[in-house]
Each structure stands twice: as structure tokens, then as C-alpha cells.
Amino acid sequence: MERHASCHCGKLVLHCTGEPAKVSLCHCFDCQRRTGSLFSVAAFFRRSSVELPAGMAKAFRRASASGFAVSFHFCPECGSTLWWEPERLPDLIGVAAGAFADPDFPMPQQAVWGDERHGWIELPPEIPLHARNPVKAAPPE
């Protein structure tokens, strides 16, 4: 299986092979601000399964609640965030699920940061909702 994700203007395109290792929906305020929506859906692929576009993307790096930084890569032309690299998951690359523009894309396996979810959003019962992210130790100093 090969999938292509692109930014809004189409200048950045990712090529992903195989199925995502995990699809996760996040309700955190940081994802809400980043997307301009009420949540984000990430498809996490093995790094070896993703062909990144050369050179053009801009990056924004920030701390996260896990204690590990995350680098978000976006198109300098249209501003779409296309992928991110979470330090806490170094073997995975998160890709914005909506960037695949595929209504048959796999459903999220989990929802995180439910503590910051808008109360009127109802998820399908098959998606477990966690109050925060799964706990993982902070990086050594």
C-alpha cells in the first residue's frame, strides 16, 4: 500500500508505504491551536516507510507535556502542517491524516488529551479516550 499526503497548495508531498503503526486523535490545546480545529488526527508511520520532500518545508520545534520536544514541518507557501517528528517516538513520523484526503483512511485507534476535549464532541465508542498522553519517562538531562 502506498499513500500520498500533501499540503493545501500541493507543493509538499509525502510518500508513505504500508499501513500506519498507529492513528491517534489528539484534543490538546496545542493541537487545537496548530490546526485551527478542535483536534488533530495523526497517522504515525515507521520512519523507514516515509519519503520526505527535499528542502522546502519549514519547521517549528516546541516542548511537549511528555518532556520530549516535537518538530512540526509545514509548507512555507500555504502554511499546512504536513508532518511532525516527536522525540518521544524517534522511530515514527506523524503525518496529518487529513493531508491524505482519503475518506477511507483508517479510523483512530485512540484519542488523547480528553481533558481538553470540547464537551460536545462525541467520538465513536470504538475509540478509547485517554485523559492525557500515555505516560513515558522524560529524557535524561
Side-chain angles (χ1 to χ4, degrees), residues 4-5 17 24 26 31 37 46 50 52 56-57 59 65 69 72-74 84 89 97 99 108 112 114 116-117 120:
H4 306 281
T17 55
S24 185
C26 183
C31 282
S37 184
R46 300 263 172 241
V50 179
L52 299 173
M56 186 178 149
F72 294 92
H73 300 270
F74 61 95
W84 46 97
L89 303 168
V112 298
E116 297 179 0
R117 176 179 60 97
W120 54 266

Side-chain angles (χ1 to χ4, degrees), residues 4-141:
H4 306 281
S6 69
C7 65
H8 188 68
C9 71
K11 291 188 177 175
L12 287 181
V13 179
L14 290 179
H15 303 281
C16 303
T17 55
E19 293 299 321
K22 177 182 279 191
V23 180
S24 185
L25 186 152
C26 183
H27 294 282
C28 81
F29 293 144
D30 286 331
C31 282
Q32 290 181 38
R33 288 183 190 99
R34 180 179 55 79
T35 64
S37 184
L38 303 182
F39 52 84
S40 167
V41 179
F44 289 97
F45 287 87
R46 300 263 172 241
R47 184 173 289 277
S48 60
S49 299
V50 179
E51 181 185 326
L52 299 173
M56 186 178 149
K58 297 284 186 183
F60 172 70
R61 182 178 165 91
R62 69 164 174 81
S64 73
S66 69
F68 292 81
V70 181
S71 294
F72 294 92
H73 300 270
F74 61 95
C75 176
E77 186 71 25
C78 68
S80 300
T81 301
L82 191 53
W83 82 92
W84 46 97
E85 298 175 90
E87 282 184 0
R88 79 185 277 268
L89 303 168
D91 297 331
L92 299 177
I93 291 181
V95 181
F100 292 103
D102 177 1
D104 294 322
F105 198 82
M107 181 173 71
Q109 297 150 310
Q110 68 176 8
V112 298
W113 285 92
D115 286 353
E116 297 179 0
R117 176 179 60 97
H118 289 244
W120 54 266
I121 293 177
E122 294 290 327
L123 298 176
E126 310 89 282
I127 301 176
L129 177 62
H130 303 283
R132 302 222 173 224
N133 266 349
V135 176
K136 190 169 181 178
E141 298 206 21

